[in-house]
Amino acid sequence: FEYWLNKGKKLPALNPGDMILDKIDKYLKPNFQTSPSLRSRADSLYEDMVTHTKDQLNFIEGLEENERIICEGGAGTGKTLVAIHTARNELLNGKTVLLVAMADIFTAYLKIQLKPSPALKICMFSELEKSLNFFSENKFDVLIVDEGQDLMHIENLDTFDKVIKGGLENGRWRFFMDSNAQSGIIGSFDQVAFDILKNCNASIFKLKNNCRNTKQIVEEAQSTTGAHIGETVIKSDGPRVYYCKTDSQ
């Protein structure tokens, strides 16, 4: 205002209550309300997930000297990500690796995450059974089983025993599983088979931190299903849980 008042053309003096000042005020400093978009919140949550997943991978790297590992954790604790990381490490060390899951939805995801390699075989358990004679003659250095609770049956353990060097008792293997909340949903879980596996001088480790779900999801899942899926380590606050009703399966 000082600049234009001294420009040469005299402007009328302005009073604090003049309408033009109110308009200028609203233009330069409007009143508005906003909330973070779902995308920006998701990006923030993803950064937290990546950080904590790395922490868990560093933890697992310290277990590489163990020949036989049973790694347990609830949904969202990072079992599959750790299984993938373990497979990469074994391949880098020159090992041949067999990575098995029961359902095709898991094997499809694993194939996306891992580069194809002559030393790596990713398959459903049903595929392994069909080619059992071939793999029995061409055994693998390392066996990695994802969602192992789906395959915890004595007959299945016999199959695994035939395709790994040294068998289950003396071979190198890693079972990633949830023997509590998720057992029996897809396959069958046999406690006797699980006891046999543990008695193969296996080291048992538990993933307790949930690095995939927000506090809202963890609390809702535990209150509605009774399943303990770990303590969330994501500090960012997520959106509230919504329920979608469907009319068909």
Side-chain angles (χ1 to χ4, degrees), residues 9 26 37 51 53 70 85 91 101 103 113 122 125 131 138 140-141 143-144 155 166 172 200 217 225 233:
K9 181 180 179 181
K26 289 181 179 179
S37 69
T51 299
T53 300
I70 296 174
H85 189 72
L91 291 170
Q113 300 301 315
I122 302 174
F125 184 77
S131 305
N138 300 273
F140 291 87
D141 296 320
L143 167 68
I144 300 174
E155 286 79 2
R172 185 174 176 83
C200 292
I217 294 175
T225 68
V233 291

Side-chain angles (χ1 to χ4, degrees), residues 79-80 101-102 106 145-151 176-177 182:
K79 298 187 299 298
T80 297
M102 182 173 182
F106 292 114
V145 180
D146 190 30
E147 300 296 337
Q149 71 278 351
D150 298 336
L151 294 165
F176 294 90
M177 58 189 295
Q182 298 181 86

Side-chain angles (χ1 to χ4, degrees), residues 116-186:
S117 168
L120 173 66
K121 175 66 177 178
I122 302 174
C123 67
M124 292 188 295
F125 184 77
S126 58
E127 297 176 64
L128 184 63
E129 287 183 307
K130 291 178 182 178
S131 305
L132 184 56
N133 291 334
F134 173 79
F135 291 122
S136 296
E137 297 176 0
N138 300 273
K139 299 178 187 294
F140 291 87
D141 296 320
V142 184
L143 167 68
I144 300 174
V145 180
D146 190 30
E147 300 296 337
Q149 71 278 351
D150 298 336
L151 294 165
M152 195 53 58
H153 203 273
I154 291 179
E155 286 79 2
N156 297 344
L157 294 186
D158 290 338
T159 298
F160 288 135
D161 187 68
K162 295 174 182 177
V163 300
I164 180 176
K165 293 179 182 178
L168 289 178
E169 190 170 351
N170 298 302
R172 185 174 176 83
W173 49 259
R174 284 92 174 82
F175 272 73
F176 294 90
M177 58 189 295
D178 180 2
S179 61
N180 296 315
Q182 298 181 86
S183 62
I185 294 177
I186 298 179

Side-chain angles (χ1 to χ4, degrees), residues 1-12:
F1 274 104
E2 288 295 327
Y3 172 82
W4 286 107
L5 286 172
N6 295 318
K7 186 71 175 174
K9 181 180 179 181
K10 280 292 182 181
L11 297 177

